[in-house]
């Protein structure tokens, strides 16, 4: 199972731009029970952000079998995210 945690905050301009991209990624994998996309508001859940070492947003944490295997910071393309998830599923 791959879980992608998307850290954002409502005041973050890049997060507002990135939100629709993440929604499309979630739609792309909607029927795949091996992929879960979780959005976390870093302001409302600072403990989870701290647990994953998040210091900048937007950020993505990729977990495979509950273990962090990759992290990225900043806006990414839908294609890049889908490619990374497919790589982790292989």
């Amino acid at each position: 199972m791959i879980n992608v945690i998307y850290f954002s905050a409502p005041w973050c301009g890049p997060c507002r731009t990135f939100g629709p991209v993440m929604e499309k990624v979630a739609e792309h994998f909607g029927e795949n029970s091996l992929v879960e996309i979780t959005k976390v508001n870093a302001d409302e859940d600072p403990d989870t952000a701290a647990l994953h070492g998040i210091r900048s947003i937007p950020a993505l944490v990729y977990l495979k079998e509950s273990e962090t295997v990759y992290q990225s910071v900043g806006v990414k393309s839908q294609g890049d995210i889908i490619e990374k998830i497919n790589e982790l599923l292989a």
Side-chain angles (χ1 to χ4, degrees):
M1 168 133 207
I2 304 299
N3 186 310
V4 180
I5 306 173
Y6 164 46
F7 290 91
S8 69
W11 52 264
C12 168
C15 297
R16 288 193 299 267
T17 301
F18 195 37
V21 172
M22 289 307 297
E23 287 173 12
K24 289 192 184 280
V25 170
E27 287 173 17
H28 178 84
F29 288 104
E31 298 297 319
N32 190 333
S33 62
L34 295 177
V35 178
E36 182 177 311
I37 310 290
T38 305
K39 183 177 180 181
V40 174
N41 181 324
D43 286 343
E44 292 177 359
D45 195 351
D47 292 339
T48 300
L51 176 70
H52 292 284
I54 302 303
R55 295 176 186 217
S56 298
I57 53 175
L60 297 175
V61 175
Y62 297 76
L63 299 119
K64 185 172 186 175
E65 306 303 331
S66 301
E67 184 177 324
T68 300
V69 291
Y70 186 75
Q71 290 188 350
S72 68
V73 177
V75 174
K76 306 294 180 210
S77 74
Q78 177 182 344
D80 286 347
I81 297 164
I82 290 170
E83 182 179 326
K84 186 64 178 179
I85 293 169
N86 285 332
E87 175 187 312
L88 294 171
L89 284 169

